Amino acid sequence: MAQKEYTLNELIQESAENPNENDFFELEKPAMLEVNLKNQKILAKAGSMVAYIGNIDFKREGLLSKGLGGLLKKAISGEGTSLMHATGTGKLYLADEGKKVKIIKLQNEAVFVNGNDVLALEENIKNEIKMLKSIAGMMSGGLFQVKLSGSGYIAITTHGEPILLRVTGNQAVYTDPNATVAWSENLTPNIKTNLTFGSFIGRGSGESFQLEFFGEGWVLVQPYEEVKYAAKS
């Protein structure tokens, strides 16, 4: 087996973007989204731009704006994370703390996504703020998520490679809220408490209650507990 040289040319060849790929949303690297704008506008998580080529303008959403920006203000650590508009022509590169990027092309469909895991979406994708009210008394501010619907591209992020679990009429799925990334439109999670287990683990969030999914659909779970909420004492 030939010894790897680790030369500068190897770095250039391995890391260079592929000029032959020009889809609107494309996965340039596992943790980097490339958006090919042609006099178009998208919405992206504020602060996710790492580079761009061409003529692209950015406008940050106000913290109290409606839609997804309002969700992100409330849902992500309570610190007011918001969205930004990116408009123009060129190549835009987006990333979020090294998390893996997953591209989904909705075709008159809908999906629920944890607010913190939304990276980008086409301007025409409808977004609605939803809250699991049954959790409001257990988690600070409740649990918010976004319903993304319509036709077009969205990009979400996960810590590591996620697993998709099928929910059937004969088999419910239970997940840690902090590890739950997304789920299908027709599912509505309930809350299941397990205070004894939570006390044994010794954590203030997560294991003391789980999301309980019944019906027909799927749930996407990441191998990481992304704690964004503080449990009420």
Side-chain angles (χ1 to χ4, degrees):
M1 187 179 199
Q3 183 176 356
K4 192 171 178 65
E5 295 294 331
Y6 298 105
T7 64
L8 182 57
N9 281 337
E10 282 184 313
L11 173 65
I12 292 172
Q13 291 175 9
E14 291 177 358
S15 304
E17 64 105 11
N18 188 342
N20 297 320
E21 296 180 351
N22 292 289
D23 290 338
F24 190 10
F25 278 33
E26 68 178 55
L27 194 61
E28 183 60 35
K29 299 293 180 182
M32 190 174 297
L33 174 70
E34 178 182 302
V35 182
N36 292 288
L37 292 168
K38 299 177 181 178
N39 194 26
Q40 295 163 295
K41 178 191 289 187
I42 66 160
L43 294 172
K45 191 173 183 178
S48 63
M49 186 277 288
V50 295
Y52 71 91
I53 301 169
N55 298 310
I56 302 175
D57 294 322
F58 300 92
K59 180 181 178 182
R60 190 181 180 96
E61 282 271 330
L63 294 181
L64 297 178
S65 63
K66 296 180 181 179
L68 192 54
L71 163 79
L72 294 177
K73 170 179 167 49
K74 297 175 183 177
I76 304 176
S77 303
E79 296 177 356
T81 303
S82 64
L83 283 181
M84 64 181 179
H85 295 280
T87 310
T89 298
K91 292 180 178 290
L92 171 63
Y93 299 92
L94 303 173
D96 185 15
E97 299 182 345
K99 295 163 68 175
K100 296 289 183 70
V101 177
K102 303 295 181 184
I103 299 172
I104 304 169
K105 187 174 183 180
L106 297 178
Q107 298 176 312
N108 195 27
E109 299 166 300
V111 63
F112 284 97
V113 183
N114 185 302
N116 195 48
D117 299 320
V118 176
L119 180 63
L121 58 146
E122 285 192 51
E123 183 186 18
N124 60 303
I125 293 291
K126 183 179 180 181
N127 59 81
E128 301 174 81
I129 301 170
K130 302 289 183 179
M131 184 182 75
L132 299 180
K133 295 181 180 180
S134 60
I135 306 179
M138 299 182 178
M139 303 178 79
S140 180
L143 180 63
F144 289 85
Q145 67 269 185
V146 175
K147 181 181 179 181
L148 301 176
S149 59
S151 295
Y153 284 103
I154 65 173
I156 66 176
T157 57
T158 67
H159 285 279
E161 285 296 334
I163 184 173
L164 188 144
L165 302 174
R166 295 286 182 181
V167 182
T168 69
N170 298 323
Q171 180 174 285
V173 172
Y174 303 88
T175 67
D176 185 319
N178 294 320
T180 308
V181 176
W183 59 88
S184 52
E185 174 189 13
N186 54 314
L187 295 181
T188 301
N190 298 314
I191 194 69
K192 180 182 179 182
T193 59
N194 193 329
L195 299 179
T196 302
F197 184 51
S199 300
F200 175 76
I201 294 298
R203 296 187 181 185
S205 63
E207 282 82 358
S208 59
F209 55 94
Q210 299 92 41
L211 298 182
E212 183 179 48
F213 292 90
F214 283 107
E216 298 286 338
W218 53 265
V219 183
L220 192 68
V221 181
Q222 64 185 2
Y224 182 91
E225 291 182 81
E226 193 170 18
V227 180
K228 301 172 289 299
Y229 311 94
K232 289 189 175 183
S233 57

